[in-house]
Amino acid sequence: MCGIAGWVVRQDGRPREDPAVAEAMAGAMACRGPDEQGVRGGRHVTLVHTRMAVIDLLGGRQPMAADESEDPAATLTYCGEIYNAAELRSDLAGRGHRFRTRSDTEVVLRAYLEWGERCPERLEGMFAFAVWDARTRSLFLARDRFGVKPLYYAETGDGLVFGSEPKALLVHPDVSPEVDLDGLRVLFSMARAPGECVYRSLSDLPPAHTLRFGPDGRLSLRRYWQLEARPHEEDLAGTVATVRGLLESSVARELVSDVPLSVLLSGGLDSSTVAALAARALADGDGGPVRTTTVTYSGYGDNFQPDLVRSAPDSPYARAVAEHIGAEHLEIELTTADLIDPVARRTVLRAQDVPAPFGDMDTSTYQAFAGVRLHSKVALTGESADEIFGGYSWVHIPDLAHEEQFPWVAFEQWHPGTRRGLGQGLLSPAFKDRLDMGSYYAERYAQAMARIPRLPREGEEERRAREICDLHLTHWLPRLLERNDRLSMVSGLEVRVPFCDHRLVQYAYNIPWAMKTFDGREKSVLRAAARDLLPERVLDRPKAPFPVSQDATYTKALHQELTEVLADPASPVLPLLDLEAARAVVAREGGADLQDWLHRMNVEMVLQVDAWLRELGGDVEL
């Protein structure tokens, strides 16, 4: 996996050849490409690349030019993995293209030369790339169908700047780190619309979109793929068989790697299914046993207390799966000291560029990825199964699912710890009024609902189930994918998501809700598809999200840090806070609500925002 960046100036603009800026952009993305860096540029365009070598370790260097001339027809900087690269290579070779490497990078470059801006329609996988087309003097950007790989851009006075992460663009002299009130709404939102960014000058290239910057400076944004509403023709048995076949194909294709690979295993249905299918595929190909990794906390199993969404710790289930499939299994045990380590917490904040309320979940995810990286460079996960098979609890609570808003936002407002918004419980009423998140969510919800595809004469329950699936895929999943991308990249790990195979998602999108829940539970079809793969106890396990610390010492450490923030008159977060409420939190020594992870997110977000404002050094509208 890699980092990409660069800039282009329109033909009548002021040429910019600036090696120092290119070096700074590469440095900002060093964690995305620890193996090597490359820069290629001229008077009107510069392409930057940082590489994490996974396929064709010697031949896939970038930026990659189409030929050896001084002004090649096209030059590419690319991040991702193309899972149908072998098929495309054969097709392109039959069309007269000659390949110098084994890399999928060259496949993407040749695909662009053959099919132009329609080439992303033929790519299957996760990707973000930029091509400088010398023939048309234009820059072409593209992003995968679900936004697994990030890509940002910013218009300047006479050109365009782009990069994998905001930090790469913000070191460019023509891009400002300004955050206005709209950006703060995006910051605190749990349903960011495609294209929105916290920083005013930046845009997030939406998933399944391309962007062309022409020689005259005109921008052309195009959507190349979207989900379609289609009648579902198969019966239950046929549906289960099709889901199984699509998953087998997706997992097998994502096991291709020239470096060690593993599966992140929680012991839940999603990751366990991926691990079991990976074990079978590797065994069939004489690839040896699959590696699996689970994260837990010291004392977590012995002292576990069920909460709203977790009924049992992960480790026993993960061990049962690993033993069942014959995996080489590793448990990463984190201590409270690991979770409150200021270096780790600051690394997480810098990796994500902006604050998030998830606290120890983010820190432990980063440390788990770093632990996996000690023995593997690629890892598969079970991410996005909940979105396509109906796994989230709020989908199965009718009062929440049928509210005219994002169902997870309805869930926030239902739970006492997040009634004022996830991580927003300590914001001042005046600042909350200025944010007006209610109007923001209502507007974004209306926009999202207007573009959801429909089937004629679809029943109310089926219609709502389709709407919720679409909302999850477009306004919830992107945040999870970006989080995984950033925290894995800063750990030097490439994460792959087999459930994001667009063929599988398109098929599951149209499975009727009555069939998705045929046994009266969440993810019924997926459970049936994995019935012969997993132990019964794992198949029957209720959904549980990523674990959180239940050690009171962790909460006390957060409260101590908040006490220090409140005592410092220079703390930049103070103007945003309800100081009386914040002081009341740190004054209390006990209480189940203070230990509850959703209540705790209020403190986590305050601390993250304060650290972010101290580091940003930009113009933030408070």
Side-chain angles (χ1 to χ4, degrees), residues 493-512:
L493 182 72
E494 175 183 303
V495 168
R496 299 177 180 177
V497 278
F499 282 103
C500 276
D501 182 292
H502 73 281
R503 303 165 303 166
L504 174 63
V505 176
Q506 175 61 73
Y507 182 81
Y509 182 67
N510 288 299
I511 298 175

Side-chain angles (χ1 to χ4, degrees), residues 297-298 334-341 549 551-555 557:
Y297 306 117
S298 296
L334 301 176
T335 66
T336 298
D338 294 323
L339 299 178
I340 62 176
D341 175 40
S549 174
D551 184 359
T553 305
Y554 178 73
T555 303

Side-chain angles (χ1 to χ4, degrees), residues 30-94:
C31 65
R32 299 188 70 89
D35 295 327
E36 58 186 0
Q37 298 180 359
V39 175
R40 189 174 183 119
R43 289 173 53 81
H44 288 89
V45 63
T46 295
L47 302 181
V48 179
H49 190 263
T50 62
R51 187 183 186 208
M52 180 191 296
V54 172
I55 301 291
D56 193 3
L57 307 189
L58 297 178
R61 291 174 176 167
Q62 300 185 50
M64 181 177 285
D67 54 66
E68 303 296 337
S69 66
E70 292 186 6
D71 190 17
T75 306
L76 170 75
T77 181
Y78 152 76
C79 167
E81 298 293 344
I82 305 302
Y83 303 127
N84 64 332
E87 298 94 319
L88 288 174
R89 179 187 297 270
S90 178
D91 185 352
L92 290 163

Side-chain angles (χ1 to χ4, degrees), residues 330-537:
L330 171 69
E331 278 193 12
I332 297 175
E333 185 174 281
L334 301 176
T335 66
T336 298
D338 294 323
L339 299 178
I340 62 176
D341 175 40
V343 175
R345 287 164 59 84
R346 191 59 52 86
T347 299
V348 167
L349 174 60
R350 289 172 176 167
Q352 299 192 95
D353 284 305
V354 294
F358 301 109
D360 60 315
M361 282 194 288
D362 283 350
T363 306
S364 58
T365 298
Y366 155 64
Q367 291 172 322
F369 286 158
V372 173
R373 181 61 183 88
L374 295 176
H375 62 77
S376 299
K377 203 170 183 178
V378 175
L380 276 63
T381 77
E383 199 76 81
S384 86
D386 288 313
E387 285 75 9
I388 61 176
F389 290 109
Y392 291 113
S393 59
W394 49 71
V395 178
H396 302 273
I397 303 175
D399 288 347
L400 300 182
H402 290 281
E403 281 197 29
E404 287 298 316
Q405 63 173 317
F406 298 104
W408 56 93
V409 176
F411 178 85
E412 288 178 14
Q413 297 168 356
W414 171 70
H415 188 275
T418 55
R419 196 151 285 158
R420 299 178 65 192
L422 196 67
Q424 299 174 44
L426 298 181
L427 299 181
S428 74
F431 182 59
K432 286 281 291 180
D433 287 345
R434 290 185 65 212
L435 283 177
D436 191 10
M437 293 303 295
S439 295
Y440 170 90
Y441 279 134
E443 182 179 333
R444 297 301 178 272
Y445 180 76
Q447 291 171 349
M449 292 290 286
R451 46 155 293 279
I452 294 175
R454 315 283 181 180
L455 279 178
R457 297 179 296 279
E458 196 167 34
E460 181 179 352
E461 185 178 52
E462 293 299 333
R463 174 191 58 78
R464 188 53 181 165
R466 181 186 302 282
E467 290 170 353
I468 290 176
C469 182
D470 197 288
L471 294 172
H472 275 130
L473 290 169
T474 58
H475 288 72
W476 176 257
L477 179 62
R479 184 178 189 124
L480 303 184
L481 293 176
E482 185 166 40
R483 168 181 179 265
N484 277 355
D485 173 83
R486 300 297 188 82
L487 299 181
S488 62
M489 287 288 93
V490 78
S491 308
L493 182 72
E494 175 183 303
V495 168
R496 299 177 180 177
V497 278
F499 282 103
C500 276
D501 182 292
H502 73 281
R503 303 165 303 166
L504 174 63
V505 176
Q506 175 61 73
Y507 182 81
Y509 182 67
N510 288 299
I511 298 175
W513 183 245
M515 191 177 289
K516 283 186 178 179
T517 57
F518 73 85
D519 62 0
R521 299 183 57 189
E522 81 283 355
K523 295 186 284 193
S524 307
V525 169
L526 179 58
R527 185 175 296 104
R531 177 64 61 184
D532 64 320
L533 296 173
L534 302 172
E536 199 70 28
R537 64 182 296 203

Side-chain angles (χ1 to χ4, degrees), residues 9 24 29 103 120 154 181 215 241 266 274 285 301 322 454-455 496 526 557 604 609 620:
V9 178
M29 298 188 302
S103 69
L181 197 58
S266 70
V274 171
R454 315 283 181 180
L455 279 178
R496 299 177 180 177
L526 179 58
E604 300 270 22
V609 171
V620 180

